[in-house]
Amino acid sequence: MKLSIDHKSAVPLHIQAETLLREMIKEPEYQAGKLLPNEVDLAKILAISRTTLRQAINKLVYEELLVRKKRLGTKVAQSKMSSKSMNWLSFTQEMQARGIPIKNYELHVSWVYPDDYIANFFDIKTEKKIMKLERLRGNADEAFVYFVSYFHPRIGLTGDEDFKKPLYEMLENEHSVVANLSKEEISARAADKLIAGKLEIDPGSPVLFRKRFVFDQGDRPMEYNLGYYKAESFIYTVESRRNS
Amino acid sequence: MKLSIDHKSAVPLHIQAETLLREMIKEPEYQAGKLLPNEVDLAKILAISRTTLRQAINKLVYEELLVRKKRLGTKVAQSKMSSKSMNWLSFTQEMQARGIPIKNYELHVSWVYPDDYIANFFDIKTEKKIMKLERLRGNADEAFVYFVSYFHPRIGLTGDEDFKKPLYEMLENEHSVVANLSKEEISARAADKLIAGKLEIDPGSPVLFRKRFVFDQGDRPMEYNLGYYKAESFIYTVESRRNS
DNA sequence: ATCAAAAATATGTACAAACATAAAAATATA
DNA sequence: TATATTTTTATGTTTGTACATATTTTTGAT
């Protein structure tokens, strides 16, 4: 882990400072209400202006990772709303962690024109095709989840990648794209004909539906993922702590 | 509504600018992807520096009310109703935050013997009755969620409390119990006869089912809550950042 | 007419400088 | 000793300035 800032890098200084602060507050010495060095000093240490440093701090303050107090200083907030387990494990990794061997029932790559919704999320034009990945997965006995993923063209996927490997690992190793932030929307749905067919359930019966918006290091959109989970086969767990 | 900024006010200029922008984008002419005046001009109009204006804009950008685009300008984002802080708002508070009046369709208190599962969670014997609270709630038009809550006897609920008030507020004020940690399990389910009847849907149709284990200040179990949400009426959002 | 280069225009990044303000700590006063 | 008062120290506010950069628009060359 680097403790300093590279003034020659193309990465903006306030972004570098931001990631550096994120690393910093993960360290044991900064956990639990400890104070950061004051802004003036820290700016001097990092060799950036106070304004630039504040820009970085502000972001973490907004995310409620840091709390500012006049005269007292800036302290690390109580860790909050940590959505446990599930979130940063890919499906493959999670199943492996539970000792369940995965079976890919279907794996299909295609190139499609994004609809308005997707184009808007990716901030691209609807006239250019993007990669669509459909996967039907489960254990040895049955398929219990159907995934549909769309990827930002920036990543440069060819379609020849090995999608049997853990997806995010592959993206990181082969395309240098790291998933950093995900926003998910979970709801219950009735399975339509397509989904019912894939999961071998009756149309109209319940599925857990998850939309997932994935962002990379620079908080740029990188993947849009739809997951249809057979009911009963999947439970989403969230653990959150009050932060007042 | 004032359209200008008061330089003599004690309220910081960037705060004034922020509220002004919030008002602004509520106006019909600025709805739906319309562009704001560019920063340099707007700063001139408001007679504040571009830096100060940017401070205000930044905040709304963080909140995803505005979207910036190089060369294009700053436009009003599609309103998303993303309840980010969903987690620590009670149902009542959350609905109120969205300006939706709540209606209690049913509210029923009873005293029951806990089953093994609940007794185990509360770490109590099954021979002693505990309070059970059933609530069918929704907006003016329809009931869309059915809650069943069980409370730890330690809290000392009598059953005569006013359960129309926000629950956690009431528990804090009248029984000095503060909810501090919650563990939730979200899944999709087919509605059984009871639930279907309450929510006025067909048996077998999907509901979002949420188990919630709530702990107090000392991480002692205080409430066990089951929520059955009519599908489509409820979306659970989770935002998570990688921390490794 | 088509395609490439240049100009224009918006936000993005970064610094320096100054003064305001809240709260704790140190000091002075009763 | 207890209570005001002042000082100190951190963040908070605000401006001015300069150049970078992504995109569109305009212009120019083939």
Side-chain angles (χ1 to χ4, degrees), chain A residues 34-56:
Chain A
K34 286 277 171 59
L35 287 171
L36 294 188
N38 79 63
E39 293 177 354
V40 180
D41 289 353
L42 192 54
K44 210 164 278 172
I45 293 167
L46 301 179
I48 57 176
S49 73
R50 189 182 159 210
T51 321
T52 303
L53 174 60
R54 257 177 95 75
Q55 216 176 134

Side-chain angles (χ1 to χ4, degrees), chain A residues 183-184 186 236 238 242, chain B residues 64 69 178 184 186 236 238:
Chain A
K183 298 183 186 183
E184 299 171 284
I186 296 122
Y236 198 94
V238 179
R242 201 154 93 139
Chain B
E64 297 181 26
K69 239 5 205 323
V178 181
E184 299 171 286
I186 296 122
Y236 198 93
V238 180

